[in-house]
Amino acid sequence: MKPSVVTTEPNGHVCSDCAVRGSAVCSSLDAAELREFEHLGRRVHFSSGETVFSEEDITTSFYNVLEGVMRLYKLLPDGRRQIVGFALPGDFLGMNLSGRHNFSADAIGMVTVCQFAKAPFGRFIEDRPQLLRRINELAIRELSQARDHMVLLGRRSADEKVASFLLGWRERLLALKGPSDTVPLPMSRQDIADYLGLTIETVSRTFTKLERHGTIEIIHGGISLLDPARVEALAAA
Amino acid sequence: MKPSVVTTEPNGHVCSDCAVRGSAVCSSLDAAELREFEHLGRRVHFSSGETVFSEEDITTSFYNVLEGVMRLYKLLPDGRRQIVGFALPGDFLGMNLSGRHNFSADAIGMVTVCQFAKAPFGRFIEDRPQLLRRINELAIRELSQARDHMVLLGRRSADEKVASFLLGWRERLLALKGPSDTVPLPMSRQDIADYLGLTIETVSRTFTKLERHGTIEIIHGGISLLDPARVEALAAA
DNA sequence: AAACGCAATTGACCCAGATCAATCCTGGCG
DNA sequence: CGCCAGGATTGATCTGGGTCAATTGCGTTT
């Protein structure tokens, strides 16, 4: 199911000045290793809404997000959807034990990834424990986030969910774009609802309520935290 | 907060005939490595309800569960609890990036763990990529389970949650105790509720409902699946 | 065997959030 | 510029599961 709009650059890039050089898996490699590594990955672009891989697909590649945002989700047979996370630049996707992806991933807006064929990547890792350690670190970080999200899904009210989401999302963007009380939300209300285990109406109503109380301002493509302290109180962190 | 009832065996064990030798982290070590590894861990016993470690505690040890069941959970400031998983023999606990545990763990019934001091264990791993790879595998498996659980918490009804839980728990015990339609439930109803994001009343009512329909039978310390197919249908797997 | 303690069950009622159903933007296009 | 489509908002109503409150069942102590 390779989408037609995907474009691949034959080779117009170098890892050494990649945007995610410092934070992604490749941060564990030295300059010499990086030159070798460069041949393994190729940049691939996806446009908004395109699927990068689907749950249950055989895993043929790993992906390193370079630019943009992706939604990672699982579907129930009847169509209910749970977004298990949003991937941002520096995130590494595709690791699994079964040989099949255990969630689907698609682009929210334009996305650039660094794609690695599974086998050569596996071979490259083989004698580079540093890289393995880095991948393990990323997995452990994900796991910690996943557990936090379980608490949110299982034990928080709608207001708390929305407030936690805004703070969490701002926090993640902090590392990428620097601190700001203006939080861009590239994903749809439906995406937010499916991430928080709510309906789109509840998300919308909660935003409106927060805005009426002067806590946030809903702006085009995002929200602005007028009273961050209030939001933090609501999140019951 | 070392509990008084904890007992440590000076050395009455050998790794080579450990119950979890084949499935735990140590499955990645050969006989020679195992002998060296043996000196790193010590068996520690916990009795029912004792806390092995708490969220936010500085991580001083890693733990390999040998016997028994543990509940892993996070608390909100106001006391709401979310159980993020149950640990069984073979599970490895304590990995994190922050240097602090990101959840609490306590014993459900008698528990035996193999405890490793963080620093020596870290040193041992250093030049044994096989062990690191094994730890990574366990982390990836956990991550996959965590994502499945997010779907359950965010998008399933109470009936589906309970049915999925029974099947999932049976599935996990399968590897340890062999196949059976009688599912022991060592944890309390409250534990089940906090795992599923429900209240104790809802869990109890759902069990009763299933029993009235002849789908399960509630027995002392567990349940019996009278109609496993029916339970699977309810789980909407 | 009576009495206690604690988990589990059951019942009655309530409410947060879902569902159903209109609008209301807003941006793209003829 | 006016029209259209898809996302977002808002309103009205419903309900699954929570809350509150007994009651039951059992294992332990005396």
Side-chain angles (χ1 to χ4, degrees):
Chain A
M1 74 143 294
K2 174 165 288 189
S4 56
V5 209
V6 168
T7 62
T8 305
E9 288 160 9
N11 228 329
H13 71 284
V14 267
C15 282
S16 52
D17 46 58
C18 174
V20 300
R21 166 76 175 107
S23 60
V25 275
C26 29
S27 68
S28 60
L29 303 172
D30 62 31
E33 288 173 316
L34 201 63
R35 264 188 303 282
E36 205 181 326
F37 192 58
E38 214 154 64
H39 303 301
L40 293 178
R42 56 169 22 190
R43 259 163 225 236
V44 183
H45 300 280
F46 292 87
S47 50
S48 195
E50 283 188 313
T51 298
V52 177
F53 56 83
S54 288
E55 186 171 4
E56 302 298 296
D57 279 356
I58 305 266
T59 303
T60 56
S61 297
F62 301 129
Y63 305 86
N64 200 358
V65 183
L66 302 186
E67 277 184 77
V69 183
M70 301 174 65
R71 61 176 157 255
L72 315 180
Y73 59 96
K74 292 172 73 91
L75 295 172
L76 290 176
D78 64 1
R80 279 174 289 176
R81 183 177 71 158
Q82 177 65 45
I83 291 187
V84 296
F86 294 104
L88 286 176
D91 286 343
F92 185 70
L93 304 173
M95 297 297 293
N96 61 71
L97 296 183
S98 64
R100 292 172 182 275
H101 289 292
N102 45 40
F103 54 82
S104 305
D106 40 49
I108 294 174
M110 280 289 287
V111 162
T112 307
V113 300
C114 190
Q115 177 171 17
F116 304 95
K118 182 176 168 172
F121 187 85
R123 258 176 272 119
F124 186 81
I125 270 193
E126 209 64 48
D127 43 350
R128 268 150 195 112
Q130 300 291 25
L131 178 54
L132 179 57
R133 184 166 298 114
R134 181 67 188 137
I135 287 172
N136 192 229
E137 278 173 12
L138 295 179
I140 287 168
R141 177 152 59 84
E142 289 278 301
L143 201 40
S144 174
Q145 285 173 188
R147 285 174 181 135
D148 287 341
H149 203 58
M150 285 187 216
V151 179
L152 178 143
L153 290 171
R155 288 299 182 220
R156 296 179 111 107
S157 70
D159 287 1
E160 291 169 347
K161 285 177 176 184
V162 170
S164 303
F165 166 68
L166 291 177
L167 293 173
W169 185 248
R170 179 174 73 151
E171 181 66 18
R172 290 196 64 193
L173 294 183
L174 193 151
L176 293 169
K177 319 208 177 197
S180 167
D181 283 347
T182 299
V183 185
L185 298 176
M187 69 292 283
S188 70
R189 294 290 190 266
Q190 186 63 66
D191 288 340
I192 297 174
D194 287 347
Y195 181 61
L196 300 178
L198 297 171
T199 59
I200 186 174
E201 293 94 333
T202 299
V203 170
S204 183
R205 276 188 254 271
T206 306
F207 275 165
T208 307
K209 184 167 68 176
L210 289 175
E211 186 170 48
R212 266 201 301 269
H213 293 186
T215 312
I216 67 169
E217 191 189 352
I218 301 171
I219 57 179
H220 180 70
I223 61 95
S224 189
L225 298 183
L226 300 182
D227 186 350
R230 183 93 249 286
V231 181
E232 262 162 65
L234 282 173
Chain B
M1 71 142 297
K2 175 167 286 190
S4 56
V5 209
V6 169
T7 63
T8 304
E9 289 159 10
N11 226 332
H13 72 283
V14 269
C15 282
S16 52
D17 46 59
C18 175
V20 300
R21 166 76 174 105
S23 60
V25 275
C26 28
S27 68
S28 60
L29 303 172
D30 63 32
E33 288 173 317
L34 202 63
R35 264 189 302 280
E36 204 181 329
F37 192 59
E38 213 155 64
H39 303 301
L40 293 179
R42 54 170 21 190
R43 259 164 227 238
V44 184
H45 300 281
F46 292 87
S47 50
S48 195
E50 283 188 315
T51 298
V52 177
F53 56 82
S54 289
E55 186 171 2
E56 303 297 295
D57 279 356
I58 304 267
T59 302
T60 57
S61 296
F62 302 128
Y63 305 86
N64 199 359
V65 183
L66 302 185
E67 277 183 75
V69 183
M70 303 174 63
R71 61 175 159 256
L72 315 179
Y73 60 96
K74 294 173 72 93
L75 295 172
L76 289 177
D78 64 1
R80 280 173 289 175
R81 184 177 70 159
Q82 176 65 46
I83 291 187
V84 297
F86 293 105
L88 286 175
D91 286 343
F92 185 70
L93 304 174
M95 297 297 294
N96 62 70
L97 297 184
S98 64
R100 292 174 181 273
H101 289 292
N102 44 40
F103 53 84
S104 305
D106 40 49
I108 295 175
M110 281 288 288
V111 162
T112 308
V113 301
C114 190
Q115 177 171 17
F116 304 95
K118 182 178 168 171
F121 187 86
R123 258 177 271 118
F124 185 80
I125 268 193
E126 208 66 48
D127 44 350
R128 272 157 193 102
Q130 300 292 26
L131 179 54
L132 178 57
R133 185 164 297 114
R134 181 68 187 135
I135 286 173
N136 193 230
E137 279 173 12
L138 295 179
I140 287 168
R141 177 152 59 83
E142 289 278 302
L143 201 41
S144 174
Q145 286 173 187
R147 285 173 181 137
D148 286 341
H149 204 57
M150 284 188 216
V151 179
L152 178 143
L153 290 170
R155 287 301 181 216
R156 295 177 112 104
S157 71
D159 288 2
E160 291 169 346
K161 284 178 177 183
V162 170
S164 304
F165 166 67
L166 292 177
L167 293 173
W169 186 247
R170 179 173 73 152
E171 180 67 17
R172 289 195 65 192
L173 295 182
L174 193 151
L176 293 168
K177 319 209 176 195
S180 168
D181 283 347
T182 299
V183 185
L185 298 176
M187 68 292 284
S188 70
R189 294 290 189 267
Q190 186 64 66
D191 287 341
I192 298 175
D194 287 348
Y195 181 59
L196 300 178
L198 297 171
T199 60
I200 186 172
E201 293 95 332
T202 299
V203 170
S204 184
R205 275 189 254 270
T206 305
F207 276 164
T208 306
K209 185 166 68 176
L210 290 175
E211 186 170 48
R212 267 202 299 269
H213 294 184
T215 312
I216 66 169
E217 191 190 351
I218 301 171
I219 59 179
H220 179 71
I223 61 94
S224 190
L225 299 182
L226 301 182
D227 187 351
R230 182 94 247 288
V231 181
E232 262 162 63
L234 282 173

